Amino acid sequence: MPGTVLLLAAAPAGRGCLVDAASVLPVLAAVPPAVLSGADTANVVELADPLEPQAVLTRLRAAAAAPGPLTVFVTGQLQLDRRQRLPHLALARTTPATVRYTGFPWHWFKDELRLRPAGATAFVLDLHADTETWEWLRANPLDTGRNNAVYGRIAAPPSRRSLGTPAYMKTVATILRSGHRPPLDQLHQQALGRLPQESVGYVLSAQGPEAGDPHALISAAVAARRHGDADALAAHHELNAVRAHGPASEEALHWSEVRADLAMFAGDPVRSCRAWLAVATTRLTAGQAPDAPAVEAAVDRAHHQWGRIDDPARARELGPALAELRARVPGRREGALDHVHKHLSQLQTLGS
């Protein structure tokens, strides 16, 4: 089965830039795709200094949907948004004041990849942090998802008036240009061993889930197209979480979100949209803010699945509930509520 490789190098233009991220792409591009992926053949997608977070999200979703192994190489810098203090990958137009709207929220990586099969996804990261983010990382680990292997480093802020270099990623690429990809944990150690100790920063190393993890079992069922089995297993854990912690608990909502994603994988956008609408409503009713990441994600995913419903009658049925939620949760993309109203009007015309 062919592999997929996503090469992402991003940094702000101008004075806010901490690292010459794009300089690593020619070195990585010189590595044969099969070596980059560790598969016999591979498709490589390259994103150099992307401008829009939605463009990155589109490419990430496409990569996540590929059935074979996925390796994501990310070089760039982390910044916190001022409102929620959540880490974002800074993109070309990102400034400290606009991170929330121009950066790529780091939790989107976790959200988009969480139901890929266990052991099928790996990150190789070479990130730089500004001073504020560096302090945040002392108390908050960078979460890339429980189902994914992660290797790399986060470098400390460079000294004033100097530009950091993606030394870790360039070293990884240099090793891979030999034509052989060792296991990623060995590749990671070899790369770290060639860097000056004072430049390493925070080391990232996680091998992914154990074989008995329920998420791994569900992912395996999805990969085998046993969608009913996957949903039944998730429903079992959801019921246990509701009984133990209550329907509005994070434990129960997590499994509700898993089931919403499973409906998407099963090709049932009606069920997926309805499930995401329920998750968003439960979170809002429990007092979560309309701009909380989990609330925004639920409404965005409901909106995305609603747009994939082919049956106009079913789409008309769910449209008003989505419009009501969109009025409360506009999200990060301009015109989302207008899009719902416009599409709903078109659906009403079809039904008349």
Side-chain angles (χ1 to χ4, degrees):
M1 189 174 292
T4 300
V5 175
L6 181 59
L7 304 179
L8 172 56
R15 291 184 301 172
C17 185
L18 299 179
V19 57
D20 184 11
S23 66
V24 79
L25 287 177
V27 192
L28 282 170
V31 180
V35 178
L36 282 173
S37 71
D40 291 337
T41 60
N43 301 310
V44 178
V45 178
E46 181 177 306
L47 284 170
D49 285 324
L51 299 177
E52 301 291 342
Q54 289 294 331
V56 179
L57 181 62
T58 298
R59 297 297 182 88
L60 179 63
R61 280 180 174 163
L70 169 64
T71 309
V72 182
F73 294 84
V74 183
T75 306
Q77 69 186 61
L78 294 174
Q79 290 181 222
L80 301 180
D81 72 288
R82 289 179 173 177
R83 183 184 299 183
Q84 296 173 313
R85 293 183 56 78
L86 293 175
H88 291 61
L89 182 69
L91 303 184
R93 293 175 177 168
T94 300
T95 67
T98 66
V99 173
R100 174 171 164 78
Y101 300 101
T102 61
F104 186 81
W106 193 262
H107 64 266
W108 283 5
F109 283 116
K110 176 181 67 174
D111 292 345
E112 295 301 324
L113 300 172
R114 63 182 169 188
L115 281 183
R116 281 182 53 80
T121 308
F123 282 87
V124 181
L125 307 176
D126 191 349
L127 303 171
H128 282 64
D130 61 14
T131 302
E132 183 182 27
T133 308
W134 185 254
E135 290 301 318
W136 181 89
L137 287 165
R138 294 181 185 275
N140 302 275
L142 191 66
D143 184 3
T144 315
R146 72 176 84 210
N147 216 26
N148 309 315
V150 182
Y151 298 99
R153 62 101 184 230
I154 305 175
S159 59
R160 288 178 176 272
R161 298 182 181 178
S162 68
L163 197 61
T165 60
Y168 172 85
M169 194 69 79
K170 286 185 175 180
T171 304
V172 165
T174 300
I175 296 170
L176 292 177
R177 287 179 68 177
S178 68
H180 169 66
R181 180 173 122 161
L184 282 181
D185 58 340
Q186 295 180 23
L187 176 64
H188 172 65
Q189 292 301 327
Q190 291 176 26
L192 287 180
R194 298 188 186 185
L195 297 182
Q197 187 62 39
E198 64 274 11
S199 72
V200 170
Y202 291 130
V203 175
L204 304 171
S205 179
Q207 295 184 349
E210 299 295 330
D213 186 290
H215 299 84
L217 298 175
I218 290 169
S219 297
V222 171
R225 300 186 183 278
R226 294 185 287 107
H227 298 293
D229 292 344
D231 185 65
L233 183 56
H236 170 74
H237 287 285
E238 180 185 35
L239 181 58
N240 286 344
V242 168
R243 288 171 173 169
H245 306 285
S249 65
E250 282 301 320
E251 292 84 355
L253 285 168
H254 167 76
W255 289 109
S256 299
E257 292 173 346
V258 168
R259 296 189 69 195
D261 272 341
L262 289 173
M264 175 193 68
F265 280 109
D268 190 345
V270 173
R271 183 158 56 92
S272 183
C273 177
R274 186 176 286 116
W276 281 117
L277 290 172
V279 168
T281 301
T282 299
R283 289 188 178 280
L284 288 168
T285 302
Q288 295 187 24
D291 64 351
V295 175
E296 285 187 340
V299 179
D300 287 348
R301 285 167 175 262
H303 193 160
H304 181 258
Q305 289 299 295
W306 184 64
R308 300 178 74 88
I309 298 173
D310 294 328
D311 183 346
R314 305 300 292 277
R316 282 195 300 271
E317 174 192 342
L318 293 172
L322 176 61
E324 182 180 346
L325 276 173
R326 263 296 177 222
R328 299 177 65 187
V329 186
R332 298 166 184 250
R333 197 169 188 177
E334 290 186 12
L337 179 58
D338 289 341
H339 173 267
V340 175
H341 285 310
K342 183 178 180 180
H343 187 46
L344 193 52
S345 178
Q346 293 169 343
L347 290 168
Q348 299 293 358
T349 302
L350 289 173
S352 60

